[in-house]
Amino acid sequence: MRKYHPVLTGFTLVLFSLSAQAQTPDSARRFFQHGQKSFAAGNLEVAFEDYSRAIEISSRLDSRKTAPADLLNAANSVDHVTVIDPFTANAYASRGVVRYQQHYLDDAMADFNSAIRISPRLAEAYLGRGVIYRIRGNLESAGADFDKAISIDPRLAEAYTDRADVRIEKGDLDGALADLDRALKIKPTSPETHSLLGYARILRNEPDLAIASFDRALELNPQLATAYHGRGNARMKRGEIDRAIADFTRALEINPDLSFVYMNRGLALMLQGKDADAQKDFERCLALDPGLHSELNGRIELARKARVREP
């Protein structure tokens, strides 16, 4: 269970360079490019359709022939095609990102696997698959995919950030910090990387440095809920309960579905003696994630003991 970074690190669409072979028809390229524009605009359904058409067209090509004129009207399923054109790997990987964003993880995994089968050197496909392994708690497979992505493209900053997340979970803080340092050298304006660095610094009991990291993340993206959550945790460590509650509240205004934030705000409210308000947060936490019941009870008991010790 991720105690400090309860949502996925910054996995966003990497706009694949269009490296289609000569046999890829213009129609496939147009669908692919329109899909990227649609994704960037937040039109996931349109992007999905565009990438699916690009897959359908490019995967039916014979590398020795020009695509037939009626290819756009092909009625066969895009999931049962013989892939010839390597361009199809980019379309599968892009569609995998869309399916991930739509929370269809099995479908996204299938698309990333298809991309890797077609093009085993497509780093972004390993990144996407690793993210899904990470969500499912398969740290070994996630780490292996992030390693592979980095070996293919040592400049893929997102892979270092996501590998750092795995290393934090496994207790390898030194390795995580090395990855985060590398990611920030490549992409110094990544709010997700600065935010994850803040969580690592909390684990190293460095709340002041953690707050600096979260501040930087929020400068870059004022809507990053997990950075407010992290800064709230760091402020709790400094005994700044009112400011911590303000940060937790802001995180929930941005994303009201973060179970860990309700837990931590409830604990902060307990420390202030506001048990009725705390109980509402605990109930909401468990409604979102019933699996937190045991951990929540343990942390409530710790909060009670801390409150008793206060003068």
Side-chain angles (χ1 to χ4, degrees):
M1 181 62 63
R2 277 186 257 195
K3 298 183 180 180
Y4 294 95
H5 202 249
V7 297
L8 188 67
T9 59
F11 178 54
T12 55
L13 177 68
V14 178
L15 292 180
F16 302 102
S17 59
L18 195 61
S19 56
Q21 303 298 315
Q23 69 268 20
T24 303
D26 287 341
S27 55
R29 287 194 294 269
R30 286 196 299 271
F31 277 118
F32 182 84
Q33 291 165 339
H34 190 264
Q36 290 188 308
K37 292 177 181 177
S38 297
F39 182 93
N43 298 325
L44 298 185
E45 294 296 335
V46 174
F48 174 83
E49 294 298 330
D50 285 336
Y51 292 137
S52 295
R53 296 306 300 276
I55 290 167
E56 180 179 4
I57 295 166
S58 63
S59 61
R60 293 182 186 283
L61 293 175
D62 185 320
S63 61
R64 294 163 298 177
K65 299 178 181 178
T66 302
D70 62 350
L71 192 55
L72 279 174
N73 297 319
N76 295 330
S77 169
V78 298
D79 294 322
H80 301 283
V81 293
T82 300
V83 173
I84 296 174
D85 194 336
F87 161 80
T88 313
N90 280 356
Y92 269 117
S94 295
R95 192 175 72 175
V97 176
V98 173
R99 285 176 156 175
Y100 161 75
Q101 294 283 1
Q102 294 174 320
H103 308 293
Y104 299 136
L105 297 189
D106 288 341
D107 292 334
M109 179 69 85
D111 275 348
F112 292 132
N113 282 332
S114 293
I116 290 167
R117 283 195 297 271
I118 299 164
S119 181
R121 299 289 297 172
L122 187 59
E124 292 85 356
Y126 290 99
L127 174 65
R129 191 174 71 176
V131 165
I132 296 175
Y133 279 134
R134 175 65 184 93
I135 291 173
R136 292 176 167 170
N138 188 340
L139 299 182
E140 295 304 320
S141 294
D145 271 355
F146 298 143
D147 288 344
K148 182 67 173 178
I150 289 168
S151 72
I152 296 169
D153 183 1
R155 299 289 299 172
L156 188 58
E158 292 84 357
Y160 290 100
T161 299
D162 285 320
R163 190 172 70 177
D165 184 38
V166 170
R167 288 177 163 175
I168 288 172
E169 183 74 4
K170 296 172 74 172
D172 180 11
L173 284 181
D174 289 340
L177 288 169
D179 273 347
L180 293 169
D181 180 68
R182 179 62 176 157
L184 288 172
K185 285 179 179 176
I186 298 168
K187 193 174 180 180
T189 58
S190 168
E192 294 84 5
T193 305
H194 284 285
S195 183
L196 189 58
L197 178 59
Y199 284 100
R201 285 171 164 172
I202 288 175
L203 288 169
R204 287 173 64 94
N205 199 28
E206 299 171 342
D208 293 344
L209 292 176
I211 287 173
S213 291
F214 292 125
D215 285 345
R216 179 58 178 149
L218 291 168
E219 287 176 9
L220 294 165
N221 181 5
Q223 296 299 307
L224 188 59
T226 52
Y228 284 105
H229 174 234
R231 193 171 69 179
N233 286 337
R235 285 174 166 168
M236 285 276 284
K237 280 186 170 289
R238 294 206 310 193
E240 300 172 353
I241 307 303
D242 285 337
R243 300 184 77 186
I245 290 173
D247 274 342
F248 295 145
T249 299
R250 181 60 184 138
L252 292 171
E253 288 171 352
I254 296 169
N255 185 347
D257 295 325
L258 296 177
S259 57
F260 262 92
V261 185
Y262 286 103
M263 177 192 291
N264 288 329
R265 188 174 70 175
L267 294 169
L269 290 166
M270 274 191 67
L271 293 176
Q272 291 186 329
K274 300 175 181 178
D275 289 2
D277 290 335
Q279 184 60 33
K280 291 177 183 178
D281 274 354
F282 297 148
E283 290 172 359
R284 180 59 178 156
C285 169
L286 293 178
L288 289 167
D289 189 350
L292 293 176
H293 190 272
S294 295
E295 180 169 354
L296 176 59
N297 285 341
R299 297 180 75 176
I300 288 173
E301 185 60 29
L302 290 174
R304 285 189 181 125
K305 290 177 180 179
R307 190 165 61 182
V308 168
R309 288 197 298 268
E310 291 179 354

